[in-house]
Amino acid sequence: MSTVLELTDVVKTFPGVRALDGVHLEVRAGEVHCLLGQNGAGKSTLIKVLAGVHRADSGTLLWQGEPFAPASPQAAMRAGIATIYQELDLVDDLSVAENVFLGHEPSRAGFTRRRTAAAATRTIMASLGHPEIPPGRLIKDLPAAGKQIVSMARALSHDARLIVMDEPSAVLAHDEVGNLFRIIRELTGNGIAVVYISHRLAEIREIGDRVTVLKDGRTTAAGLPADTPTRELVGKMTGRPFEYDFPPRAGADPDTEPLLVVDGLSRAGEFAGVSLTVRPGEIVGIAGLVGSGRSELLETIYGGRRADTGTVTLDGRRITSVGTAVARGMGMAPEERKSQALLLDEPVFKNMTLASFTGFATVGFTGARDERAAARRTAEQLDLRPRDVERPVRTLSGGNQQKVVVGRWLLGHTRLLLLDEPTRGVDVGARAELYRVIHDLAAGGVGVLLVSSEVPEVLGLSDRVLVMREGRVIREAPAGELDEDAVLDLVMAGSLMEGEAA
């Protein structure tokens, strides 16, 4: 098969972020080339470069053997590259035919030829195996699968030779995924190349030919066979820059009454029927892929999202909002600490005392001296480097920024701490220090519920582990009864589609 797209050393930088840092990708005509990577790996930026939304800062892009740098999405479409985003960019109040030919409507003497557009739409829909979708139906009246078919029809109306599909199965039921794969095989049978982005390895093994893996904006593997072993693919996605070294755990008293009780918690489209407990001094870990519902679950427990069904109680008292969670002794360190947890231009002491600010205020005054003194004690306890609590948080390393977030909840006398990706973006030394901090908190009686993409981290830190897949807890066991291979098999191996038994 001939190469239709080739990227070499592609770089794209945004203010303060190097989103792509030397990406390599080669796609052949008539193949399904799968793109893997965790959140933040650079997948979205890469497809936006291909789609003409962003322009690469440097590197080489060749499309059908010629230099390629589309100045706009329309230019990319004219060249034969179509992108179907996870959030479909269709106009709900327009018809199917109007969406299919949006921006390049058949016309004569300045007038749109609606009958021509409708006839062409019927032909394309028939070729996709969906003649039942009428050209005149409004997009808002179609189910999710129908809308996706319309997006593919739009791509074919431009005579696309490469179609990029971003998580196309995310909103589809089991039978709809099978139909999607049938369409993809017909497209590739006609020489059209498909770049397929998904975190579901079962799908990649079923539909993919080759796989490219991104991590931190770099290509860590290019053109691997789609049947490459799970462990190797996960290693390329996550990296293993150091040997994990965890403090010894005494564990929690199993006879102690639970501190946190989550009973039948559900949110439509995110997770369903989750029940769990955390005892004082216990560390409970949640393992699962991005998209398994793990982070959404933590945010709902914390009160940041409203559950459709189920309850959350702390010491027997309902948690219904972030305000009640904090007031009753629950804290959370979110995955995106810079955007969600820190005031980057404020000093360390201001960030540390955010959750306990009222305790320092007296008669309308902030009590800044007491704030600083408390922050200094906490910085000493956490071995913050440097110890200067007047320093803006922005100037600290990732690991020390995370310590500031944890320190906030220490000052707030937190009894239950939720940690989402506690060591993401943290260097080797700081990870070991954070592990010590987490274990010290548990040893002091704080309950900890944590989420991490790194399975060894979940197993090494936790007393008990819950494994999530497709929004459900499919296994709960003491950490000592599981190993990395067993957890990887549970979260990634086999079909992840609806209806499969765990």
Side-chain angles (χ1 to χ4, degrees):
M1 292 185 288
S2 62
T3 298
V4 293
L5 177 71
E6 188 171 2
L7 280 65
T8 306
D9 291 326
V10 170
V11 172
K12 178 63 184 177
T13 304
F14 300 101
V17 178
R18 199 173 180 88
L20 301 179
D21 191 18
V23 167
H24 297 261
L25 176 67
E26 181 221 27
V27 182
R28 299 167 184 166
E31 79 165 338
V32 179
H33 197 112
C34 299
L35 197 59
L36 275 178
Q38 298 189 91
N39 277 4
K43 303 188 302 295
S44 295
T45 302
L46 176 58
I47 65 176
K48 287 178 179 178
V49 168
L50 296 179
V53 177
H54 299 319
R55 190 157 189 164
D57 299 329
S58 62
T60 302
L61 287 83
L62 298 178
W63 170 241
Q64 296 183 325
E66 299 292 332
F68 179 64
S72 67
Q74 293 76 20
M77 281 285 233
R78 286 194 298 270
I81 296 180
T83 301
I84 300 173
Y85 295 100
Q86 185 175 351
E87 299 296 330
L88 300 176
D89 54 346
L90 300 174
V91 183
D92 277 348
D93 291 324
L94 294 182
S95 70
V96 169
E98 287 169 328
N99 272 274
V100 168
F101 286 95
L102 189 63
H104 66 124
E105 297 84 354
S107 62
R108 175 179 291 175
F111 294 94
T112 300
R113 304 179 66 185
R114 297 183 183 277
R115 289 184 180 179
T116 301
T121 299
R122 287 191 191 93
T123 299
I124 296 172
M125 287 298 176
S127 73
L128 291 173
H130 282 273
E132 79 284 358
I133 300 179
R137 180 172 293 177
L138 295 180
I139 291 296
K140 65 183 178 184
D141 295 332
L142 292 177
K147 291 177 181 179
Q148 199 164 68
I149 296 299
V150 174
S151 289
M152 283 188 271
R154 177 193 287 179
L156 295 180
S157 77
H158 286 271
D159 193 26
R161 305 310 301 165
L162 169 66
I163 301 178
V164 180
M165 298 183 178
D166 185 10
E167 297 283 0
S169 65
V171 297
L172 301 182
H174 177 61
D175 58 333
E176 293 168 339
V177 173
N179 187 60
L180 170 68
F181 287 177
R182 178 190 60 77
I183 293 170
I184 289 174
R185 291 187 185 99
E186 290 180 1
L187 292 173
T188 55
N190 290 323
I192 296 172
V194 172
V195 171
Y196 190 96
I197 299 171
S198 178
H199 66 267
R200 299 174 173 179
L201 282 194
E203 291 184 3
I204 286 170
R205 300 202 194 290
E206 182 174 350
I207 195 63
D209 295 304
R210 295 190 300 149
V211 178
T212 287
V213 184
L214 300 184
K215 180 183 183 296
D216 298 331
R218 294 177 175 269
T219 299
T220 57
L224 294 176
D227 60 357
T228 298
T230 296
R231 187 179 182 87
E232 182 177 345
L233 289 176
V234 172
K236 298 293 185 183
M237 289 168 60
T238 63
R240 289 292 182 264
F242 70 105
E243 291 297 321
Y244 293 86
D245 184 18
F246 302 101
R249 282 288 294 136
D253 182 350
D255 296 325
T256 307
E257 286 295 313
L259 175 66
L260 173 73
V261 177
V262 176
D263 184 17
L265 209 63
S266 299
R267 266 182 63 90
E270 294 178 352
F271 55 86
V274 175
S275 298
L276 61 87
T277 61
V278 180
R279 292 179 173 82
E282 183 179 31
I283 302 176
V284 177
I286 300 177
L289 294 172
V290 172
S292 64
R294 55 190 197 176
S295 295
E296 294 82 0
L297 173 63
L298 253 62
E299 290 177 15
T300 305
I301 291 172
Y302 188 54
R305 299 178 183 229
R306 185 178 296 275
D308 297 326
T309 60
T311 59
V312 177
T313 59
L314 189 65
D315 269 340
R317 303 173 68 188
R318 287 282 297 273
I319 301 298
T320 57
S321 67
V322 172
T324 58
V326 174
R328 290 169 187 168
M330 186 185 298
M332 180 168 177
E335 178 181 3
E336 299 296 335
R337 57 179 173 268
K338 289 187 177 181
S339 61
Q340 297 177 357
L342 294 170
L343 303 175
L344 293 174
D345 293 319
E346 293 294 329
V348 167
F349 80 89
K350 286 288 186 185
N351 277 274
M352 275 194 179
T353 57
L354 274 177
S356 51
F357 177 77
T358 55
F360 298 101
T362 55
V363 197
F365 295 93
T366 62
R369 179 181 298 176
D370 291 339
E371 283 186 82
R372 288 179 171 87
R376 287 191 188 98
R377 289 193 296 271
T378 304
E380 183 79 25
Q381 180 182 352
L382 297 175
D383 193 20
L384 188 73
R385 302 176 188 176
R387 300 284 169 81
D388 181 8
V389 298
E390 305 285 347
R391 177 186 288 264
V393 166
R394 184 183 299 278
T395 64
L396 300 181
S397 68
N400 283 289
Q401 288 180 351
Q402 188 71 304
K403 288 181 183 179
V404 171
V405 177
V406 172
R408 174 184 305 160
W409 300 115
L410 286 177
L411 278 173
H413 306 293
T414 297
R415 303 181 59 241
L416 177 79
L417 184 58
L418 310 179
L419 299 174
D420 193 355
E421 299 287 4
T423 62
R424 173 160 290 175
V426 173
D427 64 35
V428 175
R431 283 191 182 215
E433 292 170 4
L434 282 169
Y435 294 158
R436 176 189 58 78
V437 169
I438 293 168
H439 276 253
D440 287 350
L441 285 170
V446 175
V448 178
L449 180 62
L450 69 88
V451 161
S452 175
S453 296
E454 301 191 38
V455 175
E457 187 166 272
V458 174
L459 295 175
L461 285 172
S462 305
D463 300 309
R464 279 189 296 123
V465 173
L466 282 69
V467 180
M468 288 190 71
R469 189 174 78 193
E470 296 291 293
R472 295 183 179 274
V473 175
I474 59 171
R475 177 78 188 274
E476 178 179 350
E481 293 182 8
L482 298 169
D483 59 28
E484 186 175 2
D485 288 336
V487 174
L488 288 175
D489 284 344
L490 285 168
V491 301
M492 301 189 79
S495 173
L496 303 187
M497 298 175 188
E498 184 178 303
E500 187 225 6

